[in-house]
Amino acid sequence: MMLRAPRLVAVALILAGHASVLPAQLSAESAARSIGRAEAARNQAAELRVEWLETRSLIEQARKEAGLGHYEKAMALADEARRQGELAVEQYERESAAWRQRVVR
């Protein structure tokens, strides 16, 4: 237990020196990653021609919010767009399987 306390204090002191820079950088990077994941999911749905109507505008709104420094809102919008892309692909797969069961015999 004695060894852990000094290490924790050292880590806390190191992080405290960078506290003003770190959260903003992480937020901007996190928002960019979220937007990238949303774009990848949208692209996958678009390749299958099942992209939902709102997905692209959500990504555009997320980029706008990130540009304004509203990273949490940007991440929320991007996460919703990513989820829509994923759901569109799931819907495509589910409907393809259901069609085969109904029609192909």
Side-chain angles (χ1 to χ4, degrees):
M1 186 80 166
M2 292 292 268
L3 293 175
R4 288 186 182 174
R7 288 182 189 167
L8 290 176
V9 170
V11 169
L13 289 173
I14 290 169
L15 290 176
H18 300 288
S20 63
V21 176
L22 197 57
Q25 286 178 338
L26 287 178
S27 295
E29 291 172 8
S30 297
R33 279 193 303 273
S34 292
I35 292 169
R37 286 190 296 266
E39 191 63 44
R42 188 199 66 78
N43 286 338
Q44 186 179 12
E47 286 177 14
L48 296 171
R49 297 181 183 200
V50 294
E51 179 182 359
W52 289 1
L53 296 175
E54 187 181 30
T55 307
R56 188 180 301 254
S57 66
L58 283 171
I59 293 171
E60 290 171 4
Q61 288 175 320
R63 284 192 178 115
K64 180 180 175 183
E65 292 296 332
L68 296 172
H70 304 153
Y71 301 121
E72 288 184 34
K73 180 148 185 154
M75 289 173 58
L77 289 165
D79 288 344
E80 176 62 24
R82 176 191 49 80
R83 187 68 182 135
Q84 284 190 9
E86 292 171 350
L87 287 171
V89 171
E90 288 176 23
Q91 181 181 25
Y92 170 82
E93 292 169 351
R94 189 173 48 252
E95 290 300 317
S96 293
W99 178 83
R100 281 186 214 101
Q101 289 178 349
R102 286 191 306 262
V103 177
V104 180
R105 298 205 187 252

